[in-house]
Amino acid sequence: MLQFLTGNYLLYVSLSSWLAAQICKTIINFYLVGKWDLERMFGAGGMPSAHSALVCSLTVAAARKFGVSSPYFAIAFILAAIVMYDAMGVRHETGEQAKILNRLLNDWLSDNEEVSSFANGKRLKEMVGHTPFEVLSGALLGILIAMLFPVT
């Protein structure tokens, strides 16, 4: 398994960037909230975007290893553009809608005690997307990490 990870430069750099972003996200969340939330280590949303870090490091690693005219770079670049656009667009809007629906559901359930079993008290996940700043931060982190790893 270790050979699989360390023997593939693109995979190694990308996963290292994802891990660094997730660790940063967990630490930043602890600083802001004041308690450790392990879900931040594996969950989507938050600062910085681990998705953006992963795809940007993949793109830079592909450019460094194969050149910007290679099909590997082209595929990674298109993938990065789609992932970052989705994080700021659809997924961000989904999180905003979840906030509103959770507030409405809380108000509705507190007014109607007989329907309190609705959805078993579960809330919709609100941290699923990113702001442009979170995406940019993740992208810069991914680029930095990809530049730090020597090409193998």
Side-chain angles (χ1 to χ4, degrees):
M1 178 67 171
L2 186 58
Q3 175 62 30
F4 170 73
L5 291 175
T6 58
N8 187 320
Y9 173 71
L10 298 180
L11 187 60
Y12 184 70
V13 169
S14 300
L15 292 178
S16 296
S17 295
W18 173 84
L19 181 62
Q22 290 298 104
I23 291 170
C24 288
K25 184 187 305 187
T26 304
I27 292 169
I28 290 169
N29 189 71
F30 172 75
Y31 177 76
L32 295 174
V33 176
K35 66 176 188 170
W36 289 107
D37 182 4
L38 193 57
E39 193 276 333
R40 290 289 78 221
M41 187 62 194
F42 302 101
M47 165 71 178
S49 167
H51 291 92
S52 298
L54 185 143
V55 294
C56 284
S57 66
L58 174 64
T59 303
V60 170
R64 293 182 72 207
K65 185 164 180 87
F66 302 108
V68 293
S69 60
S70 73
Y72 302 109
F73 172 77
I75 292 168
F77 183 84
I78 297 300
L79 177 67
I82 292 169
V83 166
M84 292 188 296
Y85 177 81
D86 181 65
M88 290 185 296
V90 175
R91 289 193 311 120
H92 181 68
E93 286 301 316
T94 300
E96 294 301 308
Q97 291 172 4
K99 289 176 188 174
I100 293 168
L101 288 171
N102 283 336
R103 285 188 202 116
L104 290 172
L105 191 57
N106 284 341
D107 292 345
W108 184 57
L109 291 178
S110 65
D111 291 343
N112 301 296
E113 293 301 321
E114 69 271 5
V115 292
S116 63
S117 64
F118 180 75
N120 296 325
K122 293 181 183 173
R123 296 175 48 84
L124 296 171
K125 187 172 170 107
E126 296 178 7
M127 291 188 77
V128 292
H130 295 284
T131 64
F133 181 71
E134 292 168 342
V135 169
L136 177 63
S137 298
L140 293 175
L141 178 63
I143 291 168
L144 174 68
I145 289 174
M147 295 304 291
L148 292 176
F149 280 96
V151 180
T152 58

